[in-house]
């Protein structure tokens, strides 16, 4: 076989790479491949996207005689299966390996399972960029350090899997291997069901008297943030992962009914158990850099809301030799000042407090 | 009457102010009153908290002969009603105005409605600090610019309401007037139900296979963040606001069942309508500084994860003369680099992009 990796060595990604669908994800992958010096061929039914992506330096439109080594399908969820099936071994793509970057993995696989060249298909899914769209939002650095699932199926060729691994490396992603079925259950839990619950919480706000919303704090802003995502896109994603989503939604419905029952009956212990399970869930999310969660603590600092003050705060934090692990700005409702929350290692917070106070900052722990 | 404001002028807060309950909120109020030069009397059943608050400069323990002008009850939700009832006009507190800072307002009011001095009680609720606890976390600046609900009932004396308004001013809060009933419906919507939905989403994570959670992105972290709050405290708060919470939870249950039905039947249009209602809800949350929401846009910047880089980024943003409205750090799973999301006015994002790129930053929009 004239496949990549034939001869027993590891597969090499030499290109050309064809990107089908020059939206945010496709164009970003194309730019990352160009950054690595690979030849990139672009295909899109939308002429305007194709032109924009080409002008951004993401590659050139594919000609019928071009023979890509790897085809990356980056079309909307509704079209994934059909497009993957079409490009698998289609004229000029002979023995090309095909991958896709869709948010759901079992559906596309079903669409190609009976295809004579399904062994050349390996699904994948980068965890990046789903809230924005279009080639103009693209960046070669979009995937840097982000999880990128690789989801081989039972008959995927090993060298095809390796070639997709090379693609993820070129894009700077952090590889996570899962079966297509596991992947879909995982994203239902970590993405799709949280998104739906955020939408339900946000939906209640749309109906609220305006003056009630004056009491909105940082909590509700956090909970509902993802619900601002494109309804058409998320409608496709949720529909494509209906089975896994429905399984979890059934659990959520049962537990919601339980919460309604125990709040109604005043069974405080049962209510607290539900809340404790939530605390355990927040602790189960992996920590920074994939390591175990470290104990963190927060310090709040008052910062006047004009250019320069945040820079001065950071300069002072640097002088304190404490690394800022996370940060959020909580703007005041009534005046031109913000509360900045600095999250640092728990054993460094007292030092940071003392150091910033000595530099004139008003803080509280 | 020897009440504040007697004589027809506006009520003046001259003190002494008594704070009952020297936890995070009570001690912070005491510190804010001390900052304004007011005499502060402290009461707490926990000797240790009382001693700590005194040592922090929050005031001195109340003696039986001390006659406060204003009593602020800042005890846990379960004890609010009983404590307010007890201090209303109790020996030495004669004509003092009494307020509280509990998260729920109809319950305490019911507890004192039949009290002969209920006209001296005015409920209130600052939107701050509920995720931490204890006097050591207190700060005079905790309430600066945060919404602070004032919830007079139908027989509250006008001068008593004014005195509570003065307290909120002294603490730097942004006053929001609501009836106790409206308040409780408002916080059910903007705080209690979002918290419960976050707990339900987080609860699903606790049960997940560990490698599935490798796919966790910023979205699920945002949705579940508040679910890390103290289960015992939130159990009290949710129980105290059971009626308003149950009303909304019933709506959420019905809509969740609708989502399950339409995902199951593939009714895409109905699903998209639910998601669109969520988008509308995120847009209904008031913007910064209480003004109407302004169009914002995000720029992502790659920042090496060591001290000094964020400071350098901020200095460069300042040099670009673009005000950073909000910011979040999305740490990479696999390497020592973070993506920093800068949120700026939509009409400034292109300028910031050009300016930061010219200073060597890798950005994407």
């Amino acid at each position: 076989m004239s496949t990549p990796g034939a001869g027993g060595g590891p597969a090499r990604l030499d290109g050309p790479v064809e990107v089908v669908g020059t939206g945010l994800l496709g164009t970003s992958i194309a730019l990352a491949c160009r950054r690595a010096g690979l030849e990139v061929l672009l295909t899109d039914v939308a002429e305007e996207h194709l032109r924009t992506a080409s002008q951004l330096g993401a590659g050139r439109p594919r000609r019928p005689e071009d023979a890509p080594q790897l085809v990356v399908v980056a079309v909307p969820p509704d079209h994934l299966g059909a497009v993957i099936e079409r490009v698998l071994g289609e004229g000029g793509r002979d023995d090309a390996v095909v991958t896709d970057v869709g948010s759901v993995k079992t559906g596309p696989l079903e669409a190609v399972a009976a295809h004579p060249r399904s062994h050349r298909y390996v699904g994948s899914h980068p965890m990046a960029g789903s809230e924005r769209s279009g080639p103009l939002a693209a960046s070669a650095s979009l995937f840097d350090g982000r999880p990128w699932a690789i989801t081989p199926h039972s008959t995927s060729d090993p060298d095809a899997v390796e070639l997709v691994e090379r693609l993820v490396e070129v894009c700077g992603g952090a590889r996570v291997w899962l079966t297509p079925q596991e992947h879909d259950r995982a994203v239902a839990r970590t993405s799709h069901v949280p998104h739906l619950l955020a939408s339900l919480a946000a939906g209640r706000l749309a109906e609220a008297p305006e003056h009630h919303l004056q009491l909105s704090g940082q909590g509700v802003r956090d909970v509902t943030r993802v619900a601002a995502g494109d309804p058409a896109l998320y409608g496709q994603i949720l529909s494509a992962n209906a089975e896994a989503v429905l399984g979890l939604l059934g659990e959520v419905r049962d537990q919601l009914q339980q919460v309604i029952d125990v709040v109604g009956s005043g069974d405080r212990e049962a209510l607290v158990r539900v809340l404790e399970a939530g605390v355990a869930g927040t602790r189960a999310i992996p920590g920074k850099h994939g390591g175990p969660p470290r104990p963190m603590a927060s310090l709040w600092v008052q910062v006047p809301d004009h250019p320069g003050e945040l820079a001065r705060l950071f300069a002072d934090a640097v002088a304190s030799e404490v690394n800022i692990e996370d940060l959020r700005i909580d703007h005041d409702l009534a005046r031109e000042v913000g509360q900045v929350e600095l999250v640092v290692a728990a054993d460094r917070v007292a030092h940071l407090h003392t150091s910033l106070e000595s530099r004139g900052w008003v803080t509280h722990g």
Side-chain angles (χ1 to χ4, degrees), chain A:
Chain A
M1 292 201 309
S2 64
T3 60
R12 286 183 39 162
L13 183 59
D14 299 314
V17 175
E18 179 186 2
V19 173
V20 180
T22 51
L24 170 67
L25 293 180
T27 305
S28 295
I29 290 169
L31 289 169
C33 289
R34 294 290 303 134
R35 180 180 62 184
L38 295 169
E39 185 182 2
V40 177
L41 315 170
L42 304 173
T43 301
D44 200 313
V45 290
E47 277 292 335
E48 197 186 314
H49 277 194
L50 197 57
R51 205 177 314 118
T52 303
S54 300
Q55 284 166 355
L56 288 170
R60 63 165 175 82
R62 177 177 183 253
R63 291 183 293 255
E65 66 272 24
D66 290 323
Q69 180 194 19
L70 173 67
V71 181
V72 181
V73 178
V75 301
D78 277 356
H79 303 288
L80 264 183
V83 174
I84 296 168
E85 195 180 7
R86 181 150 51 77
V87 299
L88 258 183
E90 193 195 57
R93 295 188 181 94
D94 299 332
D95 204 46
V97 168
V98 176
T99 188
D100 74 303
V101 294
S103 307
V104 179
K105 301 270 63 93
T106 53
L109 179 58
E110 279 167 27
V112 300
H115 194 288
R117 307 192 65 78
S118 64
H119 54 101
R120 304 307 287 158
Y121 167 69
V122 180
S124 84
H125 177 209
M127 305 289 134
S130 59
E131 277 176 53
R132 296 161 303 132
S133 61
L136 281 171
S139 164
S141 64
L142 184 66
F143 310 105
D144 273 3
R146 302 290 179 102
W148 188 320
I150 301 173
T151 60
H153 56 94
S154 57
T155 61
S156 292
D157 284 344
D159 69 282
V161 178
E162 284 179 23
L163 203 64
V164 174
E165 292 171 5
R166 293 299 90 76
L167 175 71
V168 177
E169 284 168 13
V170 161
C171 293
R175 298 172 301 180
V176 179
W177 289 265
L178 292 164
T179 68
Q181 294 75 21
E182 274 187 310
H183 169 277
D184 287 0
R185 288 198 298 270
V187 291
R189 200 184 285 277
T190 60
S191 174
H192 304 166
V193 166
H195 189 107
L196 273 173
L197 292 175
S199 294
L200 292 182
R204 303 281 79 68
L205 302 180
E207 305 155 359
E210 199 179 318
H211 63 294
H212 285 197
L213 298 184
Q214 292 294 324
L215 299 186
S216 300
Q218 191 58 41
V220 67
R221 288 167 211 266
D222 285 347
V223 172
T224 59
R225 181 179 157 101
V226 293
D230 177 15
L233 175 63
Y234 280 94
Q236 291 187 34
I237 292 172
L238 293 163
S239 302
N241 202 20
E243 185 180 332
V245 168
L246 284 173
L248 284 170
L249 284 185
E251 291 180 27
V252 171
R253 176 188 54 196
D254 294 347
Q255 194 167 31
L256 177 58
Q257 185 58 55
Q258 186 200 345
V259 167
I260 290 173
D261 293 343
V262 302
V263 169
S265 69
D267 183 349
R268 182 77 64 85
E269 278 182 32
L271 175 58
V272 169
R273 277 198 298 275
V274 172
L275 297 171
E276 283 171 346
V279 173
T282 63
R283 292 184 180 153
I285 298 175
K288 184 184 169 187
H289 306 314
R294 264 197 303 165
M296 292 290 159
S298 290
L299 186 71
W300 277 259
V301 187
Q302 274 184 275
V303 179
D305 184 24
H306 52 75
E309 288 301 311
L310 266 175
R312 191 165 68 82
L313 173 60
F314 272 90
D316 286 350
V318 169
S320 308
E321 300 187 332
V322 176
N323 201 19
I324 307 302
E325 305 283 344
D326 205 349
L327 179 149
R328 63 179 51 224
I329 302 177
D330 183 7
H331 285 295
D332 280 347
L333 205 60
R335 58 177 68 183
E336 296 293 320
V337 69
Q339 296 268 354
V340 172
E341 178 184 355
L342 301 175
V343 182
V344 301
D347 56 5
R348 297 294 284 158
V349 72
H351 172 73
L352 182 64
H353 169 84
T354 309
S355 177
L356 289 181
E357 291 270 348
S358 76
R359 288 171 167 86
W361 295 97
V362 177
T363 76
H364 57 99

